[in-house]
Amino acid sequence: MKNKLFLSCVCIIFAGSITKIKAHQMSKNIQTPVAKIIPKTLEKHNKKRLDNYFWLNDRENPEVIDYLNQENVYYEAMTADTNIFQKELYEEMKARIKEDDQSVPYLYNGYYYITRFETGKGYPIYSRKKGSLTATEEILFNCNELAEGHSYFQLGGLSVSADNKLVSFGLDTVGRRIYTIQIKNLETGELFADKIENASGSSVWADDNQTLFYTKQDEVTLRSDKVFKHKLDTNSNADVLVFHEKDDTFDVSVGKEKSRKYIVIGSGSTLTTEYRILNSDTPDGKFAIFQKRVRGLEYSISHFGDSFYILTNKDKATNFKLMKTPESATSKENWKEVIPHREDVLLEDIEIFSNYLVVEERSNGLNHIRIMPWSGEGEYYLPFGSETYSAGTTTNVDFDTDILRYSYQSLATPASVIDFNMKTREKEIKKEQQVLGEKFDKNNYVEERVWATATDGTKVPISMVYKKGMKKDGNNPLLLYAYGSYGVTMDPYFSSTRLSILDRGFVFAIAHIRGGEDLGRQWYEDGKLLKKKNTFTDYIDCSKFLIEQKYTSPKHLYAEGGSAGGLLMGAVINMAPELYNGVIAQVPFVDVMSTMLDDTIPLTTGEYDEWGNPNVKKYYDYMMSYSPYDNIKAQSYPNMYVSTGLHDSQVQYWEPAKWVAKLRTHKTSDTVLYLNTNMDAGHGGASGRFEALKELAKEFAFLLDLEGIKK
């Protein structure tokens, strides 16, 4: 519903490991990078902050690039003795992946669409078959060919015209999520000459097969703020501006309803949404506002028959409810209740079929799929037996079917795509993720869900998985992952790559802390704005619980988080560094104050409802009390591996760079501190399915090396 926008030997030698780290550095004559100090005083609300590394904000400054390269050289030199191990981990993880793999085909507008991979190739091939899976394959895009010559490549936003003759798509070859939209003629294979630059990548066709709607971004903030209309065979410079979102806390999107009757423009912020609709067969008409924005009113729409179904928090429905309105009268005074609000059940999404309404719910932190016949008789829930699973509907593009396609996985169970007959209640597993090699057997692993008690008495769930036979003696290495922001739910998920640490004795756990929506909307509300510190204390309390219950100990506990989860990492090591032996922080959002005070940085103003607006003193003061960069102090810090991308559009590279530079001057412990910058990538890391494994191998080697595990 929100506009949101996506891881012992030491017990014997631990006392000597710090000395070993220093000795290794000295023996190799490795120089620790030292960032130049250029003091800059920043003032707000009559309060002054000193930022010695503000100068790192300029990516065009050669000295900045030089410093990042120095950090990379330092990382490579300090970890040179793990290079062979990293390669072994990479090959091990790659060997579990079925390289010649493909998605489960789905039928849309007369064609079966398939995404597949070929052995040895890092990028997907998008194809389709007309009418039958035995028909001749038609290649839409071979991304392996398109990616040649690019250090980063991403294709997205595929949209096929109603007559099946054209496809629009977006390309990003930098990693800043700035796409160029192009159009391909599927009959001739030729590309239209015109290119639409600086786009978000997504687009949608009107029914005339001549008109394309797409979104563009603000050139400075990269916020999607405009919707344009493009006519085939015309210059994009002549494209018509259809909608401009001038409120810089909102982002826009454009898409088409499942019924294909309406083109929909969505405009949303953290707390508020608004939609505009236009009949797909009248592309030159005017979009009508579905329900004008009201601060705090969130809703999403699904068209079926002569009505719209609305998922909304209207009338203080914190966990959302389902309503219905005629397509001829869409404002909120016409909405009628279909499923009421419930205090203990979060209504997450719906799928509509001719004979069934399928509702995705969450209660007690777990997914539930509810099947509701329109007849009103015989509703039921799909049965799920585990407590560490995730399940949800997937690609369901047609109304007139009894088949629901959904996915299921758990921490120990590979992901499956399942076709479920809602009438006969029979299910067919269309595909289960293959884990290659002879070793894997899900019965060799134990899944658990336990509950830690937070400082204020709140019970916080933790999902975990480990190798059968694990002893709770405090000597197990444990990797505790969490995110805890934007209402993003971290459902338990299967990972074949994770087996590389599980099989070496690690416990993997997910802390479902406040700030996510794991236990309903209030769980999110209690971990944002002036309650944000609940996110950090929940994580710390989960860590203490795992130590108290002897799953692990501070000598063997490792913390991991990325992006806003990286903010979590920064906050907890300032607050309780003694609990962790090591920390992995991926693209961490750690310079909260400087970023949130700079409205030219992508995403900043849209974040005010999440973190608060620091231009207001009470929010400034609260954010200052936890901002990781601003709260670094002289104390012992854990071993740390920090990663970022030079072209990151969401968390700018300078945040982790400044954070590491400052940590180097303040930490009193002789622990390792690495900053590894991918000079060719953005927020999502390296492109290509195998390149990403190399980055993961670095993280795993970091953890295993600290545990004294060398193979």
Side-chain angles (χ1 to χ4, degrees):
M1 284 302 301
K2 296 165 291 301
N3 183 38
K4 297 301 182 280
L5 325 144
F6 27 254
L7 271 49
S8 133
C9 189
V10 168
C11 66
I12 301 173
I13 66 166
F14 185 80
S17 63
I18 292 176
T19 304
K20 178 185 173 186
I21 292 166
K22 188 171 184 178
H24 176 71
Q25 185 168 332
M26 292 176 65
S27 68
K28 298 293 185 181
N29 195 27
I30 301 169
Q31 297 297 315
T32 304
V34 179
K36 182 169 59 176
I37 292 176
I38 304 177
K40 183 178 180 63
T41 301
L42 304 167
E43 187 170 352
K44 191 72 179 179
H45 303 299
N46 296 318
K47 295 184 178 182
K48 294 182 179 180
R49 289 185 298 129
L50 181 65
D51 189 346
N52 288 329
Y53 305 103
F54 190 86
W55 66 276
L56 286 170
N57 291 30
D58 182 9
R59 69 163 48 83
E60 302 301 322
N61 183 346
E63 290 186 273
V64 171
I65 301 301
D66 182 60
Y67 169 68
L68 296 177
N69 284 327
Q70 285 181 42
E71 286 283 2
N72 280 349
V73 169
Y74 176 74
Y75 164 74
E76 294 295 342
M78 285 290 289
T79 60
D81 59 344
T82 70
N83 283 349
I84 293 175
F85 191 26
Q86 287 184 39
K87 291 176 182 176
E88 290 173 348
L89 287 168
Y90 167 78
E91 293 296 340
E92 177 181 294
M93 292 186 287
K94 183 180 177 184
R96 294 194 195 100
I97 298 172
K98 180 175 168 53
E99 294 195 36
D100 56 337
D101 201 7
Q102 73 171 42
S103 65
V104 179
Y106 68 91
L107 181 64
Y108 180 75
N109 199 24
Y111 283 83
Y112 283 94
Y113 286 87
I114 303 164
T115 303
R116 62 179 179 84
F117 289 90
E118 293 181 343
T119 300
K121 303 293 180 64
Y123 292 92
I125 296 171
Y126 296 101
S127 67
R128 67 180 185 176
K129 296 182 178 182
K130 187 174 183 179
S132 168
L133 289 174
T134 60
T136 303
E137 180 185 51
E138 177 186 343
I139 302 293
L140 304 181
F141 299 100
N142 186 335
C143 293
N144 300 288
E145 296 174 356
L146 295 174
E148 289 180 4
H150 299 291
S151 56
Y152 179 91
F153 176 86
Q154 186 67 48
L155 181 145
L158 275 66
S159 178
V160 178
S161 60
D163 63 4
N164 291 311
K165 296 180 179 180
L166 305 169
V167 60
S168 58
F169 61 99
L171 286 180
D172 174 14
T173 56
V174 176
R176 277 182 69 76
R177 300 184 181 178
I178 304 172
Y179 288 82
T180 298
I181 292 177
Q182 295 179 257
I183 298 169
K184 180 178 181 179
N185 186 319
L186 293 175
E187 293 185 314
T188 66
E190 296 176 338
L191 292 177
F192 284 73
D194 200 36
K195 296 182 179 181
I196 300 169
E197 306 286 355
N198 199 42
S200 67
S202 62
S203 57
V204 62
W205 292 94
D207 288 350
D208 65 354
N209 306 303
Q210 297 290 312
T211 307
L212 187 71
F213 293 92
Y214 63 91
T215 55
K216 293 196 76 168
Q217 298 168 310
D218 182 280
E219 293 184 6
V220 176
T221 67
L222 304 186
R223 179 177 67 90
S224 296
D225 64 342
K226 297 181 181 73
V227 178
F228 282 88
K229 179 171 62 178
H230 175 77
K231 293 290 186 179
L232 209 60
D233 292 322
T234 65
N235 192 300
S236 63
N237 292 330
D239 288 354
V240 176
L241 177 64
V242 173
F243 175 66
H244 181 197
E245 178 52 76
K246 297 181 179 179
D247 187 329
D248 59 10
T249 66
F250 281 70
D251 293 303
V252 298
S253 61
V254 64
K256 184 180 279 190
E257 281 292 306
K258 179 177 176 177
S259 68
R260 310 178 201 174
K261 183 175 180 178
Y262 290 98
I263 304 288
V264 180
I265 294 175
S267 190
S269 69
T270 304
L271 297 176
T272 309
T273 47
E274 180 180 72
Y275 291 93
R276 287 167 167 77
I277 59 175
L278 176 70
N279 276 66
S280 300
D281 58 2
T282 58
D284 294 326
K286 184 179 180 180
F287 280 84
I289 296 178
F290 188 91
Q291 161 59 45
K292 68 179 181 179
R293 69 190 64 180
V294 176
R295 180 165 174 79
L297 176 65
E298 298 178 62
Y299 69 95
S300 63
I301 59 177
S302 299
H303 178 255
F304 177 60
D306 58 0
S307 302
F308 280 94
Y309 288 80
I310 307 117
L311 207 58
T312 180
N313 66 348
K314 183 179 179 288
D315 304 321
K316 299 181 180 180
T318 307
N319 277 335
F320 295 87
K321 60 182 177 179
L322 185 65
M323 306 188 79
K324 178 182 178 181
T325 195
E327 60 182 349
S328 58
T330 61
S331 55
K332 61 184 175 64
E333 62 269 17
N334 299 296
W335 299 358
K336 304 298 182 184
E337 191 169 89
V338 177
I339 299 177
H341 173 257
R342 289 160 289 173
E343 294 291 340
D344 59 344
V345 178
L346 175 66
L347 194 55
E348 291 191 315
D349 207 353
I350 62 169
E351 283 280 4
I352 297 176
F353 297 87
S354 296
N355 296 318
Y356 301 91
L357 172 65
V358 177
V359 183
E360 294 187 79
E361 303 176 347
R362 181 180 298 275
S363 61
N364 199 34
L366 299 175
N367 303 121
H368 300 282
I369 298 178
R370 181 182 180 188
I371 312 297
M372 303 177 65
W374 289 118
S375 65
E377 298 179 0
E379 74 169 64
Y380 59 96
Y381 285 87
L382 295 185
F384 302 120
S386 172
E387 279 198 328
T388 60
Y389 72 90
S390 61
T393 63
T394 59
T395 308
N396 294 280
V397 296
D398 289 323
F399 289 112
D400 298 322
T401 177
D402 291 332
I403 303 299
L404 169 71
R405 179 165 291 179
Y406 72 94
S407 64
Y408 176 87
Q409 62 184 309
S410 75
L411 287 172
T413 305
S416 296
V417 176
I418 299 165
D419 277 0
F420 179 78
N421 189 309
M422 294 179 282
K423 184 176 182 179
T424 66
R425 304 195 188 188
E426 296 174 327
K427 71 177 184 180
E428 178 186 0
I429 298 176
K430 303 296 291 186
K431 178 181 180 181
E432 181 174 275
Q433 176 186 351
Q434 285 187 260
V435 182
L436 301 185
E438 299 177 359
K439 281 187 174 182
F440 178 72
D441 180 347
K442 62 184 178 184
N443 296 311
N444 290 334
Y445 303 89
V446 177
E447 300 175 86
E448 268 194 271
R449 186 165 72 146
V450 296
W451 297 77
T453 302
T455 305
D456 61 1
T458 301
K459 298 291 186 181
V460 182
I462 305 170
S463 300
M464 67 174 76
V465 61
Y466 49 83
K467 197 80 178 285
K468 190 175 289 184
M470 184 270 289
K471 296 180 181 179
K472 292 169 63 174
D473 58 8
N475 291 321
N476 305 296
L478 189 150
L479 180 59
L480 181 61
Y481 176 82
Y483 187 73
S485 291
Y486 303 109
V488 173
T489 298
M490 294 310 302
D491 285 318
Y493 62 97
F494 180 81
S495 167
S496 67
T497 58
R498 189 191 298 138
L499 297 174
S500 288
I501 57 173
L502 293 182
D503 289 345
R504 289 176 172 86
F506 264 77
V507 178
F508 176 78
I510 301 172
H512 303 283
I513 53 183
R514 282 174 284 186
E517 214 167 60
D518 306 61
L519 269 72
R521 182 56 180 245
Q522 195 59 47
W523 201 249
Y524 169 44
E525 298 293 338
D526 287 342
K528 62 186 285 196
L529 297 174
L530 298 176
K531 296 180 179 180
K532 187 62 204 171
K533 288 184 183 178
N534 284 336
T535 301
F536 316 137
T537 55
D538 278 2
Y539 187 89
I540 291 170
D541 290 331
C542 286
S543 301
K544 290 178 178 178
F545 172 83
L546 293 168
I547 292 168
E548 290 166 0
Q549 297 298 309
K550 297 191 180 301
Y551 285 98
T552 189
S553 65
K555 291 182 179 181
H556 302 290
L557 179 55
Y558 300 90
E560 179 187 10
S563 196
L567 168 96
L568 170 68
M569 297 296 100
V572 300
I573 63 168
N574 284 335
M575 298 166 68
E578 71 282 356
L579 295 178
Y580 310 97
N581 187 38
V583 174
I584 295 174
Q586 304 135 333
V587 292
F589 171 43
V590 283
D591 188 13
V592 177
M593 293 312 308
S594 294
T595 292
M596 294 305 296
L597 284 166
D598 186 351
D599 60 12
T600 67
I601 295 176
L603 306 182
T604 290
T605 53
E607 304 287 287
Y608 288 162
D609 288 333
E610 179 71 22
W611 312 101
N613 182 350
N615 295 296
V616 178
K617 187 176 182 300
K618 68 175 181 178
Y619 291 113
Y620 177 92
D621 290 342
Y622 189 75
M623 293 161 72
M624 270 298 293
S625 72
Y626 68 75
S627 173
Y629 180 68
D630 296 288
N631 285 279
I632 292 173
K633 56 190 174 185
Q635 66 175 350
S636 177
Y637 281 96
N639 298 287
M640 296 180 63
Y641 174 82
V642 183
S643 60
T644 187
L646 180 63
H647 302 291
D648 197 325
S649 61
Q650 290 184 256
V651 178
Q652 305 293 326
Y653 74 89
W654 60 71
E655 294 203 36
K658 291 167 60 176
W659 185 46
V660 168
K662 189 173 180 179
L663 279 168
R664 289 206 186 283
T665 64
H666 283 73
K667 76 184 187 79
T668 60
S669 51
D670 200 0
T671 49
V672 298
L673 174 58
Y674 301 138
L675 173 65
N676 188 212
T677 304
N678 188 323
M679 306 301 280
D680 298 313
H683 197 67
S687 63
R689 57 177 175 160
F690 300 134
E691 285 303 307
L693 293 181
K694 293 178 181 178
E695 296 188 350
L696 189 56
K698 291 179 179 181
E699 296 177 359
F700 285 176
F702 168 76
L703 296 172
L704 294 166
D705 188 52
L706 289 173
E707 283 293 310
I709 300 172
K710 303 295 185 182
K711 62 180 181 177

